Amino acid sequence: MWISPEELGGGLSDPYSEGKIYGDARTYDPDFKGPIAKRSCTDVLCCIVFILFIIGYIILGLLAWVNGDPRRVAYPTDSQGQFCGQKGTSNENKTILFYFNLLSCASPSVVVNLQCPTTQICVSKCPEKFLTYMEIQFTYRRDRNYWAYYSQFCKSAILKPAKTLTQVLLDNDCPTAIFPSRPFLQRCFPDFSTQNGTLTVGNKTVFEDGSGRTRNAVELRAAANGVNRVLDARAIGIKVFEDYATTWYWILIGLTIAMLLSWLFVILLRFTAGFLFWVFTLGVIGIIAYGIWHCYQEYSDLQGQPNAHLTLYNIGIQTDISMYFQLRQTWFAFMIILCILEVFVLLMLIFLRNRIRISIALLKEGSKAIGYIPTTLIYPVLTFIFLSICISYWAVIAIYLATSGVPIYKVITPEGQCKHENKTCDPKIFNTTEVAKACPGAQCNFAFYGGKSLYHQYITTFQIFNLFVFLWLINFVIALGQCALAGAFASYYWALKKPDDIPPYPLFNAFGRAIRYHTGSLAFGSLILATVQMFRLILEYLDKRLKQAQSNISKFLKCCLRCCFWCLEKAVRFLNRNAYVMIAIYGKNFCRSARDAFNLLMRNILKVAVMDRVTDFVLILGKILVAGCIGVLAFLLFTQRLPMIIEGPTSLNYYWVPLLTVIIGSYLIAHGFFSVYAMCIETIFICFLEDLERNDGSTERPYYMSQSLLKILKEQNAQTEKQ
C-alpha cells in the first residue's frame, strides 16, 4: 500500500520523481538502512578552534593556579592584607577577625565585604566583656590584668595605656571599647540576645562606646543588622543539618523510588499515551465550557443591577479592578473569548485528528525504543558527571583569578566625604602623607588583590574568557549527549525487523561516532548557542550596572533586547537539536544538517506543531506525576501520618526541609529520564518524516516504521482512495 507525500506531508510532490527535493540533491539510496557507518570528519576547522580554546583554557588554569591564592577566600584578611590563621605567620594562632569600631560600619554588607571604615586585626578569641580604654587607664594602676586582657585587641604589643584617648583615636592602636562578641564566619560579631522582649548585648541594653557616648543595643544592632540575620540563620542552619542527618536515608529511598517510577512511566507510555492525551484534552474542553457557563451566569445575574449597563468606555481606566467585574459588558466579552477558544480547540481536534493519532503513536514508539535500548536511561548520569567537571573547573579558575595579585590598599573615611576617597595608598607611610592631614579620620585599609603586571591588567578579560569557554563546554556536553542518543534511537528506527535488526551496542557506537567524526560540528552548534547566551549575560550585567541611570526609553529597549535574545536562544536550541539528529543519521556537517532538518520540518510544519505540543504535555504531566506522588508519600511519612504502615523519622525541626529536597530531587530525576525520552521522540519523528519521503511502502522501498504507525497510514490511505 502506498500513500503519497501530498496526503501526508502537506502538498509535496513525489520527492524521488526527479531524484531531488526542492533543489536539494538527495538521490534515493536503496542501501540506506540507518545511521551511515562510513563517515568522514566534519567541520574540521571548528574542531581545531575548539581544541585550541581548550588548550588555552588549560593554560589559563595553570596561570591562575600559579598566581592565585584561594586562601584569600578561606581566611579573613586584616587591614594590612594579612591572613588570619595562616600557618607559618605571626597570625597562625589568630584565626578570627576583630573590628575596632563596628558602629562605624554604614551597612551590614560593608562588614561582610571587609570594606568597613575601621581598623581590622586578627585575634585569637573574641571579647567576652564590656571594657573601654578610659576604664583601663583608671584600673591599670591597681590591677594590670585588665590591661593584659584588653591589649590583645590592639594592633601591636603595648606595655601600658599611656596614650590619651585622642592619640589612640588618631593612631588607631587600640579600640576605644570592646563588648561581648561571638565568632561567626571567622569574624567577631556582637553577642545579641533578647530578654523579656528587649534586645541586649552581653545582658546589657546600654553601654559606653569609649568616646564618652552612651550607646544602646538597638544602635549596635542597626550597624550589624544584616550580619545579625546571618547569625540568626546559623541556628536555623544547625536545625536543618540535624534534619538532614536524621532523614538522609529516607531521602535516598524517595529518590530511588522516583527513579523507578520515572522508568516505569516511560515504559508504560506505550499503553497510556493516548489515554493521557485525550483525558487532558477533554479536561481542557470541559474547563472552557464551564468558563462559558460561568460567564453567562454572571452576565444574567447582573441584569437589572444599578450601573451594570455601563460600558468600559464609560468608566475608563480604574485602579480598582473589581469595578470591571460589575459590568455586564466585561462578562459578555469573556464569554465571547472563551467561545472562540472552545471552537478553535474543537476545530483543531477535528481537522488535525490524524496528525494527533500519528503523534500519539510516535510517543508509544519512543517508549518501545527505550525499552529495547535501556542503556540510554543511564546516559544522563554521564552527562551529569561531565557537567559537574566543567562547573567545578570554571568555579576553581574564577576563584584563583579573583585572588590573583598583591594586596591593594585604598583610602576609606567614615563619612565618605574626602576627595581622596578610594585612592590607592601605602599603609606604612599613610599617616605621614598629605591625605591623612587633609582627611582627618581617614584610614588606609586593605581593599582587594591586584597588580600592575600584564597578567593582572587582563584579569577581567581572563574572567570573561573563562565564562565564555565554560558556556561553550556546557553546551558541547549537552550537544554530545543529544547526538549520541539520536544515533542510538535512529539505529532502532531504521531496523527493518525490530528488535532483531538493531545493531549491538547502539549507544556506545553512536557516542564513538559523535566523538570521532563530529566533534567539530557539535562544537560549531554549541559555539553559536554559547555566543547568544554570552550576549544575554552581558545585557543582564549592563542592566544591573546602569539600573539607576535608565530612562523609560532605555528600559523599553532593554526589554525588547532581552525578549529578542530569549527567542533567539530558544530558536537556536531547537535548530541545533534537530541538526544533531541529522548529523547522527547522515554524518554531514553542521550547516548542511541544520538546513536539511529545517527544510524537512518546514515541509511538515503542522506535524511538527502537533508533535511538540503533545510531547510537551506528556513530559510535563510525567514530571508532575512523579514529583507529586513522591511528594505525597514523603509528606505522609515526615508528618507521622503513616504510623500503622511505616514509622518515619520523629522529632524533625522542619519537616518541609527533607520534603522539599525529595520533591525537587524527584523532579530533577524525572527530568533526566524524560530528557532522554524527548530526544527519543524527536529522533523517531525526524526519522519518520524521512521515511515518508524516502520510501513508498512497496517491496522495493518498504517503510521502516513500526506496524502501529503503518496501520495508521494504511487507514489514511484507504480513506483517501474512497474520497
Side-chain angles (χ1 to χ4, degrees):
M1 187 65 66
W2 182 82
I3 180 166
S4 67
E6 292 96 332
E7 298 160 345
L8 294 174
L12 292 175
S13 60
D14 185 357
Y16 297 98
S17 59
E18 297 182 2
K20 57 184 180 180
I21 301 178
Y22 295 113
D24 178 19
R26 284 205 339 250
T27 305
Y28 172 71
D29 181 9
D31 297 326
F32 178 80
K33 296 181 180 179
I36 296 174
K38 295 182 180 180
R39 300 172 180 242
S40 60
C41 296
T42 56
D43 295 303
V44 178
L45 179 61
C46 192
C47 180
I48 295 174
V49 173
F50 182 60
I51 294 174
L52 290 177
F53 264 77
I54 292 178
I55 294 174
Y57 202 29
I58 295 173
I59 294 174
L60 176 61
L62 293 175
L63 285 173
W65 180 74
V66 170
N67 292 276
D69 191 351
R71 292 176 302 176
R72 295 166 181 170
V73 177
Y75 298 105
T77 310
D78 64 12
S79 297
Q80 303 301 316
Q82 299 176 342
F83 300 134
C84 297
Q86 183 180 359
K87 294 183 179 180
T89 66
S90 59
N91 290 332
E92 182 175 358
N93 297 322
K94 300 177 180 179
T95 59
I96 307 171
L97 190 68
F98 172 73
Y99 299 91
F100 270 24
N101 184 11
L102 193 63
L103 288 165
S104 65
C105 301
S107 66
S109 61
V110 170
V111 179
V112 177
N113 293 324
L114 305 179
Q115 295 298 320
C116 183
T118 186
T119 302
Q120 303 152 30
I121 64 170
C122 300
V123 296
S124 58
K125 63 179 181 179
C126 295
E128 299 172 349
K129 60 182 72 173
F130 286 102
L131 282 175
T132 66
Y133 184 79
M134 296 179 66
E135 289 176 348
I136 292 298
Q137 285 185 314
F138 287 117
T139 59
Y140 174 73
R141 294 178 181 178
R142 66 173 183 269
D143 191 350
R144 298 189 179 186
N145 291 329
Y146 282 96
W147 173 247
Y149 178 81
Y150 194 91
S151 62
Q152 64 181 320
F153 303 107
C154 295
K155 287 168 61 174
S156 58
I158 302 176
L159 296 178
K160 58 181 180 179
K163 289 185 179 182
T164 64
L165 180 61
T166 304
Q167 289 176 316
V168 169
L169 291 174
L170 289 175
D171 297 336
N172 282 310
D173 288 331
C174 297
T176 57
I178 59 175
F179 42 79
S181 305
R182 54 183 174 179
F184 182 60
L185 298 176
Q186 292 183 278
R187 292 161 177 82
C188 291
F189 292 137
D191 187 9
F192 291 112
S193 61
T194 303
Q195 294 183 359
N196 298 325
T198 303
L199 184 66
T200 63
V201 177
N203 298 324
K204 287 187 178 182
T205 56
V206 295
F207 56 91
E208 296 289 335
D209 66 356
S211 59
R213 298 179 59 187
T214 301
R215 302 295 188 101
N216 57 46
V218 176
E219 291 181 77
L220 190 60
R221 178 67 174 267
N225 191 35
V227 179
N228 191 69
R229 283 197 294 267
V230 176
L231 293 173
D232 292 340
R234 180 180 64 171
I236 298 177
I238 293 174
K239 293 180 180 179
V240 169
F241 179 79
E242 292 174 352
D243 290 341
Y244 277 128
T246 305
T247 61
W248 65 270
Y249 54 92
W250 291 108
I251 293 174
L252 290 180
I253 292 174
L255 297 181
T256 303
I257 296 175
M259 182 177 65
L260 296 175
L261 193 61
S262 300
W263 179 80
L264 185 63
F265 186 86
V266 170
I267 298 301
L268 291 179
L269 274 176
R270 72 174 73 177
F271 309 109
T272 60
F275 173 77
L276 291 174
F277 175 79
W278 290 114
V279 167
F280 171 76
T281 304
L282 293 176
V284 170
I285 294 174
I287 290 172
I288 297 176
Y290 173 78
I292 294 172
W293 176 81
H294 180 75
C295 291
Y296 176 77
Q297 287 293 111
E298 293 289 339
Y299 178 80
S300 301
D301 293 341
L302 288 174
Q303 188 174 7
Q305 296 290 332
N307 300 325
H309 64 283
L310 297 176
T311 64
L312 297 174
Y313 178 79
N314 295 136
I315 66 173
I317 300 176
Q318 300 291 330
T319 56
D320 187 4
I321 301 178
S322 62
M323 293 186 62
Y324 295 106
F325 295 106
Q326 299 175 11
L327 304 179
R328 298 185 71 201
Q329 188 183 62
T330 301
W331 293 105
F332 183 76
F334 283 159
M335 184 173 62
I336 295 298
I337 293 172
L338 290 176
C339 287
I340 295 174
L341 184 61
E342 184 85 331
V343 172
F344 175 77
V345 172
L346 292 174
L347 290 177
M348 292 289 288
L349 290 175
I350 293 172
F351 290 102
L352 298 178
R353 62 187 185 278
N354 289 328
R355 290 183 173 85
I356 292 174
R357 289 181 63 196
I358 293 175
S359 299
I360 295 174
L362 286 172
L363 290 175
K364 297 178 180 179
E365 194 67 18
S367 180
K368 290 182 183 178
I370 292 177
Y372 289 130
I373 314 177
T375 52
T376 54
L377 293 176
I378 306 175
Y379 191 86
V381 178
L382 184 62
T383 301
F384 175 78
I385 294 173
F386 287 156
L387 292 178
S388 299
I389 294 173
C390 293
I391 294 172
S392 301
Y393 189 77
W394 165 77
V396 169
I397 289 183
I399 292 173
Y400 271 89
L401 286 174
T403 56
S404 296
V406 296
I408 301 297
Y409 302 89
K410 297 247 179 174
V411 177
I412 299 177
T413 56
E415 302 298 330
Q417 298 177 350
C418 177
K419 64 179 180 179
H420 301 288
E421 180 80 15
N422 287 327
K423 288 186 178 180
T424 57
C425 57
D426 186 351
K428 296 180 180 179
I429 61 172
F430 178 73
N431 290 333
T432 62
T433 61
E434 294 295 329
V435 177
K437 298 177 182 178
C439 304
Q443 298 179 21
C444 183
N445 282 1
F446 167 77
F448 56 88
Y449 293 95
K452 296 183 179 180
S453 67
L454 185 64
Y455 170 79
H456 295 108
Q457 290 176 5
Y458 287 93
I459 288 292
T460 303
T461 305
F462 291 151
Q463 288 284 22
I464 295 174
F465 178 80
N466 180 32
L467 178 60
F468 178 75
V469 180
F470 165 70
L471 294 175
W472 196 355
L473 286 173
I474 288 292
N475 288 301
F476 177 81
V477 169
I478 296 173
L480 177 61
Q482 292 174 342
C483 189
L485 291 172
F489 293 126
S491 299
Y492 161 82
Y493 184 92
W494 295 107
L496 188 60
K497 296 180 180 179
K498 302 175 179 62
D500 298 334
D501 290 345
I502 299 176
Y505 312 112
L507 180 60
F508 179 79
N509 292 332
F511 182 83
R513 288 195 300 266
I515 288 289
R516 181 178 179 183
Y517 298 109
H518 307 303
T519 297
S521 298
L522 301 180
F524 192 10
S526 54
L527 173 63
I528 298 173
L529 186 56
T531 304
V532 175
Q533 293 172 339
M534 194 68 185
F535 275 111
R536 289 191 65 190
L537 290 175
I538 292 173
L539 189 64
E540 292 294 334
Y541 173 77
L542 293 176
D543 175 43
K544 291 185 178 180
R545 290 299 299 267
L546 304 176
K547 204 162 193 177
Q548 302 299 327
Q550 288 181 356
S551 63
N552 292 331
I553 296 177
S554 62
K555 289 180 180 179
F556 173 75
L557 293 176
K558 175 201 67 179
C559 292
C560 291
L561 286 174
R562 292 170 75 177
C563 180
C564 290
F565 275 108
W566 181 84
C567 294
L568 180 61
E569 182 180 348
K570 293 296 182 183
V572 171
R573 284 184 183 276
F574 177 77
L575 291 175
N576 281 7
R577 193 165 58 249
N578 291 284
Y580 298 148
V581 175
M582 300 299 279
I583 290 172
I585 298 174
Y586 296 108
K588 302 298 174 58
N589 61 46
F590 176 81
C591 291
R592 184 170 178 180
S593 299
R595 182 197 63 185
D596 292 344
F598 179 78
N599 291 335
L600 180 65
L601 296 176
M602 288 301 102
R603 292 194 297 269
N604 301 272
I605 189 64
L606 286 179
K607 287 189 180 75
V608 173
V610 174
M611 188 68 213
D612 282 347
R613 298 287 73 78
V614 173
T615 304
D616 289 344
F617 156 70
V618 172
L619 295 184
I620 291 174
L621 184 64
K623 294 174 188 178
I624 294 175
L625 182 64
V626 171
C629 291
I630 300 300
V632 170
L633 291 176
F635 174 78
L636 296 176
L637 180 68
F638 294 143
T639 55
Q640 296 293 306
R641 304 195 181 191
L642 294 174
M644 302 299 295
I645 302 175
I646 186 172
E647 184 178 357
T650 58
S651 66
L652 290 177
N653 298 298
Y654 308 108
Y655 74 87
W656 51 266
V657 171
L659 176 62
L660 287 179
T661 303
V662 169
I663 293 175
I664 295 173
S666 301
Y667 183 86
L668 293 177
I669 289 174
H671 177 75
F673 274 83
F674 295 149
S675 64
V676 174
Y677 183 71
M679 199 65 211
C680 176
I681 297 301
E682 192 134 11
T683 303
I684 291 177
F685 180 55
I686 288 182
C687 292
F688 170 71
L689 298 179
E690 282 283 294
D691 196 11
L692 289 179
E693 294 190 352
R694 279 185 166 276
N695 306 306
D696 55 15
S698 61
T699 306
E700 296 79 13
R701 289 156 58 179
Y703 287 127
Y704 283 80
M705 63 190 71
S706 64
Q707 292 299 318
S708 58
L709 281 172
L710 189 60
K711 180 180 178 181
I712 295 175
L713 294 181
K714 287 182 178 180
E715 291 176 0
Q716 290 185 355
N717 188 56
Q719 293 177 2
T720 304
E721 289 179 351
K722 289 181 181 180
Q723 294 175 358

